[in-house]
Amino acid sequence: MGSWLSEREQRLVAGAETASAATPVPTQIVSNGEYLPPPQSEVQKRVERRIFELADVNGKRLGLSRRQFMQTSCGMAAAFVAMNEVYATNVFQVAAAEAREPELMQAGAQSLAGQFISDVQTHFVRDDFEHTELLGLAKFAAEHWNPQLKAGDSSLVRYKFQNYVKEVYYDSDTSLALLSGAPFDDPSWWLLSNEQIARTREVINDFAGSRRLLAHTVITPKQAGWMEEVDKAIAVYKPDSWKSYTIGDPLAPSKYPWRLDDEQVMYPFYEKAVKAGITTLCIHKGLLPPDYEKSFAGVWEYATAWDIGKAAKEWPQMTFVIYHSALRAFLELPDQAWAEFETTGRIKWATDCGDPREVRGDQRLRRIIIRHLVR
């Protein structure tokens, strides 16, 4: 589980700490081990060069080296300024003066101290989780992203409740988190049961004295007893929303792939969800390994957006949150993908989440929330 990249694919990439410039904001896409990253684009190179220019000029003014400057709040401001300039946009609310005046950056940070920050997909593993294969992720991260991780705990403790609370609530500015899970054909791989997710929400919120944690209930269509679990969730767990994977098992070809628009399997569930008032369904789509046609043979199609339109149109009461925007795993061919987008205006799979040509006046776009996560 350390990486979905094959040994051949891993040889094609270098660690982010050596392949990327030490800029405050990355100037190229790096991989989390689930896909092969594309090479740095020409526009990204321009952003990088502009950050260097601002760092040299403003760093000298502050008596700092380029590296020292980019570790400061002014360095972060310089990165945002560079992106605004190169992309000809004002997406980032930053003034050029903030890249050279620490007092302005400090004032800006203080003005945002009370901002609301949410993390809508968090995980930890139960105390009796025994799959040490999960440690491969930390090993891969230490080797390729952050060598300092080598000095940390190398056991499964780092993935359990105590460290989860530390990382999410004490070592970050997170205001509200959503605790999620994932289904596996092998039940021993479940990170948490739905009951444990709900219980964690209760413990955190009781301790905080406020609503700091939301909870998913993971649904497993086609698996034995799954609708009974839905009934229990509605009556007992009372989740804030639902979570599932149409592809079934997220790590391997599953015996239980399904479609959102399956009238026999899913429509009875939607009826229950609407009646209970729990009408948000979060679905993992896309973000498969590059060799998905081979490694997920027979089921990879279920990770595409082929089933969203009909379900969203026929169930206007439901909100479908598409995790990862149904991002197709062919980032190993970025030039081809970009050329196709320039010609057709489409991005395979992702565009299908909300193609205006398929809406035809209904409210589908309003009810399909596209969410992309790259961790």
Side-chain angles (χ1 to χ4, degrees):
M1 189 173 174
S3 170
W4 277 2
L5 303 182
S6 67
E7 292 184 4
R8 179 191 67 81
E9 291 160 346
Q10 290 186 43
R11 288 194 296 270
L12 295 177
V13 298
E17 73 282 356
T18 57
S20 301
T23 52
V25 176
T27 56
Q28 66 183 88
I29 296 175
V30 295
S31 175
N32 66 350
E34 293 178 300
Y35 57 87
L36 197 63
Q40 188 180 38
S41 70
E42 289 303 316
V43 175
Q44 290 170 336
K45 291 177 182 178
R46 286 171 53 199
V47 171
E48 186 173 284
R49 288 195 296 268
R50 183 55 179 150
I51 293 175
F52 288 161
E53 292 171 357
L54 291 170
D56 290 341
V57 172
N58 294 332
K60 183 177 180 179
R61 182 177 182 275
L62 296 171
L64 301 173
S65 68
R66 174 192 288 181
R67 183 176 184 83
Q68 289 171 330
F69 174 81
M70 290 198 290
Q71 294 174 341
T72 68
S73 58
C74 287
M76 179 65 75
F80 292 144
V81 169
M83 286 189 285
N84 278 347
E85 290 180 356
V86 173
Y87 290 103
T89 181
N90 290 312
V91 168
F92 300 103
Q93 298 179 8
V94 61
E98 292 179 84
R100 57 178 181 270
E101 299 290 345
E103 295 79 7
L104 291 178
M105 276 301 296
Q106 184 176 3
Q110 290 175 345
S111 70
L112 297 173
Q115 67 182 328
F116 178 81
I117 299 175
S118 64
D119 190 336
V120 298
Q121 185 173 224
T122 64
H123 302 283
F124 69 88
V125 301
R126 63 186 190 277
D127 285 343
D128 60 349
F129 186 87
E130 297 179 347
H131 285 281
T132 55
E133 300 98 306
L134 195 64
L135 297 174
L137 182 60
K139 181 180 179 181
F140 185 85
E143 292 175 350
H144 296 276
W145 308 328
N146 186 358
Q148 294 181 3
L149 291 174
K150 294 178 181 179
D153 192 333
S154 60
S155 73
L156 286 171
V157 170
R158 76 161 68 202
Y159 300 104
K160 296 187 177 181
F161 177 71
Q162 184 174 355
N163 196 49
Y164 170 83
V165 173
K166 171 182 173 294
E167 295 285 345
V168 174
Y169 294 107
Y170 287 88
D171 291 352
S172 80
D173 294 324
T174 302
S175 306
L176 181 72
L178 171 61
L179 182 58
S180 189
F184 297 89
D185 287 7
D186 177 357
S188 72
W189 264 101
W190 276 59
L191 310 180
L192 295 168
S193 69
N194 287 325
E195 181 178 6
Q196 289 168 328
I197 293 174
R199 174 58 177 157
T200 302
R201 177 185 58 186
E202 179 183 353
V203 169
I204 292 292
N205 291 342
D206 283 351
F207 178 78
S210 61
R211 199 181 190 202
R212 300 294 303 277
L213 186 66
L214 304 180
H216 269 153
T217 279
V218 178
I219 63 171
T220 56
K222 292 187 177 181
Q223 292 195 31
W226 82 277
M227 284 296 276
E228 287 79 1
E229 180 72 357
V230 168
D231 291 336
K232 185 175 182 180
I234 292 172
V236 180
Y237 307 147
K238 302 187 184 305
D240 298 286
S241 55
W242 310 96
K243 170 71 180 298
S244 199
Y245 290 65
T246 50
I247 201 169
D249 192 315
L251 294 183
S254 173
K255 299 190 293 291
Y256 308 104
W258 52 279
R259 293 178 59 108
L260 288 166
D261 58 3
D262 188 316
E263 297 182 12
Q264 281 69 47
V265 173
M266 292 305 297
Y267 284 29
F269 163 74
Y270 299 147
E271 289 179 2
K272 289 179 180 287
V274 170
K275 185 177 180 180
I278 308 171
T279 56
T280 298
L281 174 59
C282 304
I283 313 100
H284 175 106
K285 288 282 192 179
L287 206 61
L288 290 171
D291 63 346
Y292 60 86
E293 292 186 1
K294 178 180 178 181
S295 58
F296 279 76
V299 301
W300 66 263
E301 296 92 341
Y302 291 85
T304 72
W306 65 349
D307 55 347
I308 299 173
K310 181 175 181 291
K313 186 174 183 178
E314 296 186 359
W315 288 92
Q317 311 96 318
M318 296 292 295
T319 295
F320 298 89
V321 181
I322 310 304
Y323 278 14
H324 313 299
S325 306
L327 183 66
R328 186 180 181 220
F330 74 141
L331 290 177
E332 68 273 21
L333 300 173
D335 293 337
Q336 175 183 318
W338 183 251
E340 183 175 342
F341 174 74
E342 291 278 83
T343 302
T344 66
R346 293 179 58 83
I347 299 174
K348 286 183 178 177
W349 301 9
T351 298
D352 293 334
C353 285
D355 191 336
R357 291 171 292 186
E358 297 178 7
V359 177
R360 295 188 177 90
D362 65 27
Q363 296 300 306
R364 179 176 162 213
L365 284 179
R366 181 176 64 81
R367 290 180 285 101
I368 300 178
I369 302 173
I370 301 174
R371 184 170 177 280
H372 179 58
L373 293 173
V374 176
R375 291 180 175 266

